[in-house]
Amino acid sequence: TYRGSLIKGLEASVRAGTTTLVDISSQHIIDPLLACPIRIIECFETFALDPGQAEAKALEIADVLSSARPLCVAPLLSGIQLGLSPHAPYTVSAELYRRCFELAQIFDCLLTTHVAETREEIEFLSNGGGSIRQLYNELGQALAWYQAPAKTPLQHCLSQRDSTTSLPLLLAHGTYINDADLALLKQHQAAIAYCPRCSHEYFGHLAHPWKRLLAANIPVCLGTDSLASNSSLSVRDEIDYLIQRHPNENPETFWAMA
C-alpha cells in the first residue's frame, strides 16, 4: 500500500542518517510522518495539464493543506512543515502553476516541482510532440486542445511566479538548462535538487550542470529521488557515487551539497 511504502521510506531515510527530508506525496497522507524523528517538509502533489482544471485542482490542494496544517508542529526544528508540489511542466498548466505559487504565498510554504529533467520534456514544451505526447495518446488523452508554450520548462514554470517573493523554491533535477534559464534561477533565488544516481544510472543522462550552477552562486543540494528510480534513499550513497564519478573534484564540494 502507499501508506506502507511511505513508512518503509521514512525508516530507510532514518537508517541512512537523513536529518531533513523533503517528501513529495501524491496521496496526501501525513499521519505516519508524525512519529518520525527527523525534520520533514511534506509537499502535497497536484497536476493538471488542462488549464480548465486549474482552479478546481487549486481549491482541492488548498483544502488538503488547510486540513493537514493543524496536525503539524510549525517550527522546522521540531516537527513537520507543509509544502506544495505541482508535478512538472508537462503535467501542469501555466494556470495551475500560477495558482500554486499563489497558494504557497497564502500558506507561507515551500514549493517544489520537477523541472528540466529530460530532453523529452523540453521537446514537449517546445512543440507539443515527442514521446510525452505519445504517452498521453496511449493513455487515451489526445490533447487536441493543447498548445505548446514554446518555452523552456523553467520559463513555463517561473513565468507564473512573482520574482520578488522570498518564499523558498526548490526545483528538482534541472538537468537541461540554458543561459537564460540560469538567469531566471538567480532572479527567483531558486535552489536545485540534484539526484545523481537517478539522473545518470536510471535515466542515463551524461552530465548535469551542477558546477555551472555553483559557479553562478545558485544553491545545489543532493537528493535521492525515490526507490522507483534508485537503489537506496541514502544521501551518503549519492556522495560516494559523485566522488567516484568525479575523482578530480574535492569531495568537500559534494559533502557541502548534502
Side-chain angles (χ1 to χ4, degrees):
T1 65
Y2 183 89
R3 181 182 297 272
S5 297
L6 175 59
I7 292 172
K8 288 181 180 178
L10 291 171
E11 292 172 345
S13 296
V14 172
R15 287 195 303 271
T18 301
T19 60
T20 301
L21 177 68
V22 177
D23 182 57
I24 296 174
S25 168
S26 61
Q27 298 295 313
H28 309 155
I29 296 172
I30 197 169
D31 54 287
L33 282 62
L34 300 176
C36 190
I38 62 177
R39 296 167 297 202
I40 300 173
I41 303 175
E42 187 69 3
C43 298
F44 295 135
E45 190 172 56
T46 187
F47 52 88
L49 189 61
D50 183 351
Q53 298 179 14
E55 188 59 27
K57 287 288 186 177
L59 292 174
E60 177 185 295
I61 205 70
D63 188 53
V64 171
L65 286 165
S66 296
S67 299
R69 179 178 265 180
L71 298 175
C72 300
V73 180
L76 179 61
L77 292 177
S78 60
I80 301 169
Q81 282 192 338
L82 297 179
L84 184 57
S85 181
H87 174 250
Y90 57 90
T91 59
V92 175
S93 66
E95 290 78 3
L96 183 52
Y97 266 122
R98 177 180 57 80
R99 290 292 284 116
C100 285
F101 284 125
E102 292 172 353
L103 288 173
Q105 196 82 32
I106 292 169
F107 286 91
D108 190 25
C109 68
L110 170 75
L111 186 142
T112 185
T113 185
H114 300 75
V115 68
E117 184 176 5
T118 66
R119 294 188 184 278
E120 290 79 8
E121 176 188 342
I122 293 172
E123 180 179 12
F124 184 69
L125 271 288
S126 176
N127 58 36
S131 60
I132 290 179
R133 183 60 171 259
Q134 182 179 347
L135 178 59
Y136 272 112
N137 289 338
E138 292 172 356
L139 293 172
Q141 301 182 45
L143 302 187
W145 47 267
Y146 180 71
Q147 295 290 323
K151 298 177 179 178
T152 69
L154 273 167
Q155 291 166 356
H156 173 69
C157 167
L158 296 183
S159 64
Q160 304 304 312
R161 183 177 187 263
D162 179 1
S163 63
T164 64
T165 181
S166 60
L167 288 175
L169 176 62
L170 180 63
L171 304 177
H173 304 297
T175 310
Y176 297 100
I177 59 174
N178 58 29
D179 289 341
D181 291 334
L182 203 67
L184 263 181
L185 289 170
K186 295 186 72 172
Q187 180 185 1
H188 286 266
Q189 301 180 53
I192 294 289
Y194 170 34
C195 306
R197 290 181 297 159
C198 165
S199 180
H200 305 301
E201 297 301 316
Y202 184 80
F203 283 107
H205 302 308
L206 297 180
H208 185 277
W210 61 268
K211 288 186 73 172
R212 189 154 58 104
L213 291 164
L214 290 178
N217 294 317
I218 294 168
V220 180
C221 61
L222 295 182
T224 60
D225 208 75
S226 75
L227 290 176
S229 60
N230 212 338
S231 58
S232 78
L233 299 179
S234 170
V235 174
R236 292 182 181 182
D237 289 345
E238 303 295 336
I239 294 170
D240 289 342
Y241 175 82
L242 285 174
I243 291 173
Q244 293 176 24
R245 184 177 174 87
H246 302 283
N248 295 324
E249 297 290 341
N250 187 342
E252 291 182 4
T253 300
F254 305 129
W255 280 100
M257 290 161 64

